[in-house]
Amino acid sequence: MNLKGRSFITLLDFTPEEIEYLIQLSATLKKEKEVGTPHKHLPGKNVVLLFQKDSTRTRCAFEVGAFDLGMGATYLGPSGSQMGKKESVKDTARVLGRMYDGVEFRGYLHTDVEQLAEYAGVPVWNGLTDMYHPTQVLADFLTIQEEFGTLKGIKFSYVGDARNNMGNSLMIGCAKLGLHFTAVAPRELWPEQSLIDVCEKLANSSGGSLRFTEDPIVGVQDVDVVYTDVWVSMGEPKDVWHSRIKQLHSYQVDRNLMRHASERAIFLHCLPAFHGMDTEIGTQIAQEFGAEYPQVSEGEMEVTNEVIESKQSRVFPEAENRMHTIKAVMLATLGGRDA
Ligand code: CP
Ligand code: NVA
């Protein structure tokens, strides 16, 4: 398997074998880290991390991953570069590509990361756009594989805003690798039909399947993985909260909903999650909408605190796996070690 020189923009660009290879490489790197085997395979290389939106996991995963591989890393935050204000994406790409061996981008427009990849001349990695979040799916799948020993045939339900970056990317990942994907959401929050059509074809050849339902109980019945994400994503205007709560309050993942999943089911969430009053936004939403929607009155939105803290929750191992999988993506695309 040779992924040297490739960008990582969407899982649609990768074959099932290539995605499986990246997950395997992640597992190997994770084991090496656990037993203290150094893997500085990319000494002397440097990467730049370009963030138009905030991040905890993705930024730290790229930084620690880069350091573990022996590389240097520069972080450019939302106000840290000229891009977008005084300099075009195309010019930024051509400048950064001359100084760095790889570029990570987190931002709004998916076309921006595509343009960076077109002009940088070095691998570009998508750390989240409004449309896709592909490195997150690698971490989610590594976590599922660790739990069940396999990905093929796993019953996976995504509950919530199914047409956001996570809904889209998880549907693609499941379709590519033969999982049975269910989107559980009001119809207007299902993924775009054109993407569903592409994924239907992928699922047909991988042995996976796609299903869409508005009924939360039907949607999680006997599944192995229940996944949710925030109801309002970064970059969406504040005033969508009210309508989104109206659409999704009955899709909150709570203990009762988890009871309908399989006995062996695990709960995943890409994080950050609203599950209490200990965040500014959680408190604000609770105060503003708690009287109308009791579900959110304690700052719990897409998931309850009880589920996040339950035995079924794997959200923190999942977060750790961001680092091992992102490290694998950098290593494979920068060509630091033969497969
Ligand atoms: N899951 C995820 O991408 O988290 P951050 O926003 O903290 O990077
Ligand atoms: N859908 C979320 C994912 C965060 C990791 C967002 O875009 O804000």
Side-chain angles (χ1 to χ4, degrees):
M1 190 66 67
N2 183 2
L3 301 181
K4 190 170 179 181
R6 297 268 298 273
S7 286
F8 191 78
I9 303 295
T10 159
L11 293 173
L12 288 170
D13 300 337
F14 288 79
T15 65
E17 294 72 26
E18 288 169 342
I19 300 169
E20 280 160 3
Y21 164 74
L22 287 170
I23 296 169
Q24 275 328 113
L25 181 58
S26 312
T28 304
L29 291 167
K30 181 171 181 175
K31 228 173 265 153
E32 287 184 0
K33 178 130 179 157
E34 272 163 13
V35 298
T37 306
H39 36 247
K40 295 194 183 301
H41 301 302
L42 297 167
K45 295 204 186 276
N46 293 292
V47 297
V48 62
L49 316 176
L50 199 48
F51 282 80
Q52 293 179 327
K53 293 175 176 168
D54 293 335
S55 167
T56 298
R57 279 144 291 270
T58 309
R59 173 193 176 169
C60 296
F62 271 99
E63 288 203 14
V64 174
F67 300 149
D68 283 358
L69 292 170
M71 295 194 286
T74 305
Y75 170 74
L76 293 176
S79 59
S81 77
Q82 308 279 19
M83 192 172 97
K85 288 152 279 179
K86 287 169 68 182
E87 194 157 35
S88 66
V89 173
K90 190 170 161 179
D91 287 358
T92 306
R94 289 180 290 182
V95 172
L96 294 179
R98 283 172 176 267
M99 296 191 197
Y100 291 94
D101 300 286
V103 179
E104 182 274 357
F105 173 80
R106 164 172 287 197
Y108 299 87
L109 300 177
H110 191 68
T111 47
D112 281 350
V113 76
E114 289 174 337
Q115 209 178 19
L116 278 172
E118 192 180 340
Y119 290 101
V122 296
V124 171
W125 308 298
N126 179 1
L128 179 148
T129 61
D130 288 345
M131 202 182 284
Y132 298 123
H133 194 9
T135 62
Q136 178 70 49
V137 177
L138 294 181
D140 302 337
F141 282 13
L142 175 60
T143 313
I144 295 170
Q145 192 168 282
E146 287 171 341
E147 186 70 30
F148 300 112
T150 182
L151 291 166
K152 264 205 187 324
I154 289 295
K155 295 182 195 143
F156 182 106
S157 285
Y158 178 90
V159 184
D161 180 2
R163 38 105 254 201
N164 74 9
N165 40 23
M166 282 317 309
N168 289 341
S169 299
L170 286 163
M171 179 171 71
I172 298 167
C174 288
K176 287 244 174 196
L177 295 194
L179 291 82
H180 300 294
F181 175 85
T182 303
V184 189
R187 189 173 289 267
E188 65 274 18
L189 297 180
W190 292 358
E192 269 189 23
Q193 193 56 47
S194 55
L195 184 61
I196 294 177
D197 293 343
V198 170
C199 290
E200 288 283 6
K201 287 201 187 98
L202 293 169
N204 278 342
S205 57
S206 70
S209 61
L210 303 184
R211 194 167 64 122
F212 301 87
T213 177
E214 294 197 294
D215 185 329
I217 292 175
V218 170
V220 304
Q221 199 66 47
D222 294 325
V223 301
D224 304 305
V225 182
V226 178
Y227 197 113
T228 190
D229 182 17
V230 288
W231 289 344
V232 176
S233 286
M234 289 183 278
E236 293 197 278
K238 254 185 99 185
D239 58 18
V240 305
W241 269 109
H242 193 189
S243 61
R244 208 55 65 68
I245 292 171
K246 195 168 161 194
Q247 288 169 306
L248 288 172
H249 66 278
S250 55
Y251 293 84
Q252 184 179 65
V253 179
D254 61 9
R255 190 157 56 123
N256 282 333
L257 190 62
M258 287 301 292
R259 280 209 190 102
H260 294 276
S262 153
E263 244 173 64
R264 66 172 192 165
I266 59 169
F267 171 76
L268 296 178
H269 188 311
C270 55
L271 304 180
F274 290 114
H275 58 100
M277 296 293 268
D278 38 18
T279 63
E280 256 171 57
I281 296 177
T283 311
Q284 248 172 34
I285 297 296
Q287 282 164 356
E288 217 170 312
F289 304 109
E292 195 179 348
Y293 299 99
Q295 290 91 337
V296 305
S297 62
E298 296 299 322
E300 296 170 316
M301 282 175 253
E302 70 275 9
V303 58
T304 60
N305 192 51
E306 194 178 19
V307 169
I308 285 269
E309 300 293 350
S310 71
K311 278 205 198 113
Q312 287 168 293
S313 172
R314 296 290 180 277
V315 298
F316 296 111
E318 178 189 9
E320 178 193 324
N321 284 341
R322 297 298 310 288
M323 196 275 289
H324 305 297
T325 44
I326 279 173
K327 191 192 287 179
V329 170
M330 290 193 286
L331 180 57
T333 56
L334 295 178
R337 184 165 73 179
D338 292 337

